[in-house]
Amino acid sequence: GVDLGGSQDAYTVDLYPKIVSSVDFSLALSNIKVKTSEMDTETTYYNYLLKHDEYPWWNYPAIWIKALISKVVGKNEQGLGNESKLRYITKQENAICEKIKSRVHFSIEQQVNIISVTVYDHNPEVASIVADSVVEHLNNFILDYRTSKARKQYEYASELCDSTRLNYLNVQDTFVQYVASHMSVKSPLQQAEMEFLAKEVELAYQSYSTAQLEKQMA
């Protein structure tokens, strides 16, 4: 609800479900830490879905078939890892992303703009942790997008403020040195030069003052 200039927001509420169901969002969720009362130590959501997740008994035949095919085809079984920044994912990572997307549901009540997040899991503790993480990740994404323009404006204003300040100090130093070296000389030419430098100092200070104000506003 913050007005940062009145520009049209590219990310409307209608697009939030697409953000949540994206691969990047699922990969971010896969790195969150989860822990249940049955587990000795916490682990990533990725490892939980890979090693600790439970399946209904009627899904076992399909799971066995997929496992057999996986061995024959030879899938890449590399884990995601927090340090991974590569722009490709393995088959296993893609399968985990699809599992996450099937368990995280996102709905919007259009009339009142209320967002509801529902997470399904066999363990209620994991469902609660993931639901909180979905809200936090989405909130951070929206905040980062909506403040990105303002942050860029502030960075530009800061650089402009620094450069105008440096210019003002340089012009002022030139004026002071000229006055100090010509105190005993009162020729019309030197007087005109002194007045010109004084105006340069005034203009440089005005530019610096304006840039400083713009930085404070940004």
Side-chain angles (χ1 to χ4, degrees):
V2 179
D3 184 5
L4 298 177
S7 59
Q8 185 66 29
D9 192 355
Y11 284 104
T12 61
V13 178
D14 295 337
L15 288 179
Y16 292 173
K18 294 182 179 180
I19 296 172
V20 174
S21 62
S22 66
V23 173
D24 286 343
F25 198 87
S26 298
L27 289 177
L29 287 179
S30 69
N31 283 321
I32 66 175
K33 301 295 185 179
V34 297
K35 188 179 184 300
T36 67
S37 55
E38 292 83 12
M39 296 168 57
D40 295 331
T41 58
E42 68 177 9
T43 185
T44 63
Y45 190 37
Y46 184 96
N47 288 330
Y48 168 80
L49 294 175
L50 191 65
K51 300 177 182 179
H52 302 278
D53 193 24
E54 298 178 4
Y55 295 91
W57 62 268
W58 56 83
N59 281 349
Y60 284 163
I63 295 172
W64 293 333
I65 293 174
K66 288 182 180 179
L68 179 62
I69 294 176
S70 176
K71 291 180 180 179
V72 174
V73 175
K75 288 185 177 181
N76 188 343
E77 296 296 328
Q78 295 295 325
L80 178 61
N82 292 329
E83 300 81 15
S84 176
K85 294 183 179 180
L86 301 178
R87 298 306 299 167
Y88 66 86
I89 60 176
T90 65
K91 293 180 180 180
Q92 181 174 268
E93 290 165 358
N94 184 66
I96 294 295
C97 287
E98 292 299 322
K99 184 180 288 189
I100 292 175
K101 287 191 285 185
S102 68
R103 297 191 176 193
V104 177
H105 295 263
F106 194 92
S107 61
I108 303 172
E109 296 182 33
Q110 296 289 350
Q111 295 181 349
V112 290
N113 278 343
I114 292 179
I115 299 172
S116 299
V117 176
T118 306
V119 176
Y120 296 93
D121 195 272
H122 294 284
N123 189 294
E125 297 169 288
V126 174
S128 176
I129 294 172
V130 175
D132 288 339
S133 297
V134 170
V135 175
E136 182 181 359
H137 278 73
L138 182 61
N139 187 48
N140 291 337
F141 179 90
I142 296 169
L143 286 175
D144 182 68
Y145 166 74
R146 290 188 172 176
T147 59
S148 60
K149 183 178 179 181
R151 284 186 280 109
K152 290 178 181 178
Q153 288 177 341
Y154 174 74
E155 291 173 2
Y156 172 76
S158 297
E159 293 176 358
L160 184 63
C161 187
D162 292 340
S163 63
T164 53
R165 180 179 182 275
L166 181 61
N167 180 63
Y168 165 66
L169 293 176
N170 290 335
V171 173
Q172 186 185 51
D173 185 59
T174 301
F175 173 71
V176 171
Q177 290 182 9
Y178 186 86
V179 172
S181 60
H182 295 79
M183 292 184 63
S184 60
V185 183
K186 300 292 184 180
S187 69
L189 180 62
Q190 291 170 344
Q191 187 67 27
E193 180 68 18
M194 190 178 300
E195 292 177 358
F196 173 78
L197 290 176
K199 291 180 180 179
E200 286 288 300
V201 172
E202 183 180 356
L203 289 174
Y205 179 77
Q206 289 178 356
S207 297
Y208 169 58
S209 180
T210 301
Q212 195 174 32
L213 179 61
E214 291 179 355
K215 177 183 177 180
Q216 292 174 355
M217 292 176 62

